[in-house]
Amino acid sequence: MKERKGLIIGSVILIIIFIGMLIKGEPSKNIMVWIAAILTLSIYSFLYRDNIFYKFAEHLFVGVSVGYSVSVVYQNAFIRRVFDPLFITRTYIVEGQFHILPFLAVVIPTLIGLLMVSVFTKRQAWLIRIPIAFVVGSYAGMSISPSFQANIFEQTRSTLHIALSISSFIMIFGVITTLVYFFFSKEHKGFLGRTANVGIWFIMIAFGASFGYTVMARISLLIGRMNFLLYDWLGVIK
Amino acid sequence: MRNRVFKAIFLIFLFLLPSLIFAQEGMEEAEQDTLAPPDTIAEILSPTEIKAFDTPNDAGENITITWEAPEDPYGIIVGYEIFRSEDKETGYEITGFAGKKTEEFKNRTNDGVVYYYKVRAKTSDGKFSPFSVISEGTVSQPQWFHTGRINALVAVVTFISLLLFFVSTAKKGKSLFIRKIAGLDALDEAVGRATEMGKPILYVPGLSSMSDVATIASINILGPVAKKVAEYESTIIVPNRDPIVMTVTRQVVKESFLEAGRPDAFNEDMVFFLTDSQFGFAAAVDGIMVREKPATNLFLGMFWAESLILAETGNMTGAIQIAGTDAVAQLPFFVTACDYTIIGEELYAASAYLSRTPVLVGSLKAQDMGKAMLIVVVFAMLIFAIVNTVFLLTTDTPNAILSRIIEFIQGWFKV
């Protein structure tokens, strides 16, 4: 009862503020801006609790994005990589001669991809393992070298530029203790445990810095949205 | 009072001094700028030392052209025009433009065709220098081997050797110790809690594709989690952002239910695709959290800006939350909003920790050995650097051998 009362009072205050802004400002005459603003407010309404406006915006967002991505995949994957090379540009026919390799380069991936559809049949559903094995295996294999380069070499190279300065010592101390924390083969007891504890401190300090940095970036996003609502939509900010 | 006045004047002077210095420098620069360039282009010589060569370590279809910029005392060169022809004598057409501070240009080509290049400088008033000499004929072709990645090859071979050694050791029955990881121990508790409360478990395998190591690690964890869910006769919700990841997660959950002897309990609707829009996905998962009210939320995999939105909503619903990712920028949000956080490398260790299968435990041991090697390298480099500095301080020259070793090690880690 108390909550409902608060809700009504809050809503009335918000409506009064909104009407005030409409009178005082120069509201946009663009219908798209109004739609965007209403959808923004609908999403923000989740801050109070789940409600019909949020549900509407959420389902609209999901529906529109799925529809959009289906059309993008159809155009970029099916038409451009399968239909066009097979039936329009015919990449496998060069100077009137049929070439088997370019033909297979289109047909084999297409057939492997089509095996994904086997999941809809009961007896042949096992066939889906073939494309899955192909995808997981190839992606895992492809990511080995970049992972080594980006996550190990690049980091190590930067660490190894050692200068005899306090910051350099702190960095090396931090790197070694943090690596010790991620050592799983030994129980974190005694010297190893103390070193790992120092590592955790370094990790948490880094997280704290990262947290603050990212929060600042998020605040700029919020400012951007507020700017849209108050400048583009209501025209309160000049 | 007098002191204050002096202090104030001193402070004002202190603030004004740098601006006076900069203003002085600015005036000098302005004076230099006002020196008018001669009215003729003849003083701008043509670019020299033009070289064209097949771009190394690439997939072909690319030639690199380099040249030496001519003297430009008046700063009037705005860039370089690169001309190309398949005939050395005639038919040159412009193929690209490089900025004034550039002395290199990469040109897209057709493999197997001989190309000739010449370059000329362009000035701010639209005039041109004479052409450079014509480059040697060059053909582009792909390279089978990327010589810049030999270090990666050595590292991969070393790692795989270690992996095979530890896997064979584990297979022989020798027990390999893995320390306790709190976040992973809590998985059992989290699944049990959901079962007791009769509520589902939400498992988000990240928002990335199968190419991400974190996604693969997450899917490895999903197997044991889904198996426990099946054993406890609970339910699991697995929303996906990537259609291929969805296919994989559905198979993993299905097989886990089968392994647990409960294939009848598996429902295909447990694992579903939502949308590939990042924030559309976040909005939808938020909706699931507040409507289905799962007792346990597991966010394991790759996450970006939506991490806090998901974790905070889950926190609001009162669910026990375990998150894990290797995205350093998102970990702080999970640390603040979740009950347990699996940090980076722990995520990769999770599958070995949960399943204890020899292959995975062996891989974890190999990873540890890799880390130990890195610690040794960093430590050794620190000692080298200290000794080298001592040499520098005592003899005024660094030790040649040590400097070479340091350079070699630094160069080896070059990407």
Side-chain angles (χ1 to χ4, degrees), chain A residues 161-173:
Chain A
H161 283 283
I162 300 165
L164 290 188
S165 61
I166 290 177
S167 60
S168 193
F169 274 103
I170 290 172
M171 184 183 71
I172 291 189
F173 189 57

Side-chain angles (χ1 to χ4, degrees), chain A residues 34-60:
Chain A
W34 276 79
I35 292 172
I38 289 165
L39 288 174
T40 302
L41 291 178
S42 301
I43 291 286
Y44 275 146
S45 70
F46 187 72
L47 290 170
Y48 171 62
R49 63 156 62 151
D50 192 26
N51 61 71
I52 193 164
F53 299 108
Y54 177 75
K55 278 180 191 163
F56 173 75
E58 174 204 326
H59 288 86
L60 185 73

